[in-house]
Amino acid sequence: MNVTFRQLRVFRAVAQHLSFTRAAEELYLTQPAVSMQIKQLEEAAGIALFEQVGKKIFLTEAGREMYHYARAIDQQLTEAETVLESLKGIKHGRLVIGVASTVNYFATRLLAEFSRRNDGVTISLDVTNREGVLALLETNDCDLVLMGRPPEELDLTAEPFMENPLVVIASPNHRLVAQRNIPLSELQQETFVVREPGSGTRIAMERFFAEKGVQFSTGMELSSNEAIKQAVQARLGLAIVSLHTLELELEAQRLLVLDVERFPIRRRWYVVHRRAKRLSPVAQAFKSFVLTESHALAELPSLVQNLKGAVL
Ligand code: PGA
């Protein structure tokens, strides 16, 4: 069968997303270019790999078989790349990092310092939510991920490197800002703006309230921490966010942290990779850097110094 790696890579992306448009976006190609690669691959294979039902596309049985092999070939290629990288050493390596959106406030500081110390290293950074970084690990599309605690059933190595306290924020003229040790039951009167369902912050918030038996009402759902903060400033409700996302707003007093009992929710960030992954020297160096240096680079607003609250 006369196929190219490029065709396989395009096929893998289309099969993963079941969408020519999303595959084209991911690969920075036009949609006709993606369709052309798939057509050529199907011709070379001599059998249809996709079928269209209504507006949706699906893999045929042959397509599912091909997907299995395309992923295996891709993983072998990535492994070959890692081995070659390790022969080049850390001086000219490439580092592919996936970062949960909440961690990105801090991760850019880490990456900046790491690249200052290792100026031959090229870094590629993918910022997405918890669900997204778990998918990156699943498809082996990154060296390391920085995120909240990953699920235990996955075959991953996860080492904690930083506290990630989640706090309740309000606009400065909210009725609760002057109150101390606000009972959790008070929050039942309030509306919360929340992150999207794939967000680690959202999952932690829901778990915390469920454990404490607190019913809360949700208003708007927004898919970024920045949008959440804007919504709280616009008095659309309260929200629960990582303290790391708040540096500027607290300084400018555009938002305030409420003093609620059992808060902050104490989470931690982890540096994560697949257990079987052969880390390149650059990835290994970055992992050690995160574990040993991140504390010195953290500039959490001062209320983190005397953390109390619930551990999740
Ligand atoms: P996010 O954060 O998915 O809410 O951005 C990741 C996490 O804290 O797990």
Side-chain angles (χ1 to χ4, degrees):
M1 193 168 47
N2 193 7
V3 301
T4 65
F5 285 132
R6 184 175 162 82
Q7 285 163 356
L8 287 179
R9 200 152 259 173
V10 171
F11 168 74
R12 204 195 113 170
V14 178
Q16 188 183 337
H17 300 298
L18 291 175
S19 157
F20 284 77
T21 317
R22 294 229 8 230
E25 277 165 18
E26 183 180 301
L27 299 169
Y28 302 106
L29 294 171
T30 61
Q31 200 177 325
V34 169
S35 304
M36 178 58 78
Q37 296 287 330
I38 297 298
K39 189 161 167 275
Q40 286 169 353
L41 180 63
E42 285 183 323
E43 274 167 18
I47 188 165
L49 302 172
F50 293 101
E51 60 191 350
Q52 182 143 10
V53 181
K55 283 191 176 159
K56 288 194 171 159
I57 58 159
F58 296 90
L59 284 166
T60 59
E61 195 185 338
R64 282 195 293 278
E65 287 293 334
M66 187 60 131
Y67 186 40
H68 166 76
Y69 288 106
R71 283 177 63 173
I73 291 167
D74 213 26
Q75 278 177 7
Q76 290 284 302
L77 262 184
T78 310
E79 193 174 316
E81 209 169 53
T82 308
V83 171
L84 297 185
E85 285 297 329
S86 64
L87 293 174
K88 290 187 219 160
I90 183 172
K91 282 272 170 278
H92 302 285
R94 187 172 129 78
L95 183 62
V96 184
I97 303 285
V99 173
S101 50
T102 299
V103 191
N104 192 41
Y105 289 81
F106 179 62
T108 33
R109 203 174 299 156
L110 273 177
L111 287 167
E113 183 57 29
F114 184 74
S115 47
R116 250 194 298 280
R117 295 187 196 180
N118 304 282
D119 62 357
V121 173
T122 319
I123 298 171
S124 155
L125 175 68
D126 197 341
V127 183
T128 170
N129 67 13
R130 175 181 178 85
E131 197 173 78
V133 287
L134 286 174
L136 286 177
L137 285 166
E138 162 79 26
T139 51
N140 200 20
D141 279 333
C142 61
D143 295 313
L144 294 167
V145 152
L146 306 179
M147 66 180 298
R149 183 201 278 277
E152 267 160 28
E153 62 277 14
L154 300 182
D155 203 15
L156 302 171
T157 300
E159 290 165 65
F161 67 93
M162 174 73 61
E163 292 265 7
N164 175 27
L166 304 186
V167 293
V168 186
I169 51 167
S171 79
N173 39 21
H174 191 275
R175 68 177 181 97
L176 292 173
V177 290
Q179 205 168 315
R180 293 290 142 255
N181 209 21
I182 301 163
L184 278 177
S185 55
E186 268 296 332
L187 300 184
Q188 304 196 139
Q189 329 275 341
E190 299 292 328
T191 301
F192 281 82
V193 288
V194 291
R195 287 277 307 277
E196 74 287 3
S199 144
T201 309
R202 162 90 175 256
I203 294 164
M205 163 186 181
E206 288 178 342
R207 189 147 40 113
F208 174 80
F209 282 146
E211 274 171 14
K212 305 288 179 271
V214 176
Q215 308 278 345
F216 67 102
S217 18
T218 52
M220 210 177 266
E221 186 176 294
L222 299 153
S223 62
S224 81
N225 290 307
E226 287 306 305
I228 292 275
K229 290 187 292 181
Q230 298 285 347
V232 175
Q233 280 181 52
R235 295 159 66 184
L236 287 168
L238 301 178
I240 291 179
V241 294
S242 163
L243 194 54
H244 287 273
T245 67
L246 289 172
E247 221 169 290
L248 297 176
E249 288 79 7
L250 292 185
E251 223 168 82
Q253 301 206 337
R254 277 182 276 156
L255 289 171
L256 295 176
V257 172
L258 293 185
D259 181 7
V260 182
E261 65 168 352
R262 314 280 184 95
F263 271 84
I265 301 172
R266 295 181 61 186
R267 303 190 76 215
R268 288 198 287 178
W269 285 335
Y270 293 75
V271 53
V272 183
H273 58 86
R274 286 167 68 140
R275 200 180 299 281
K277 177 111 186 141
R278 281 172 68 164
L279 290 185
S280 68
V282 184
Q284 192 59 57
F286 183 68
K287 181 177 169 182
S288 316
F289 174 77
V290 171
L291 292 174
T292 55
E293 310 274 333
S294 46
H295 275 276
L297 294 168
E299 279 172 28
L300 266 184
S302 58
L303 65 159
V304 79
Q305 307 303 339
N306 30 31
L307 275 180
K308 47 187 180 69
V311 181
L312 258 190

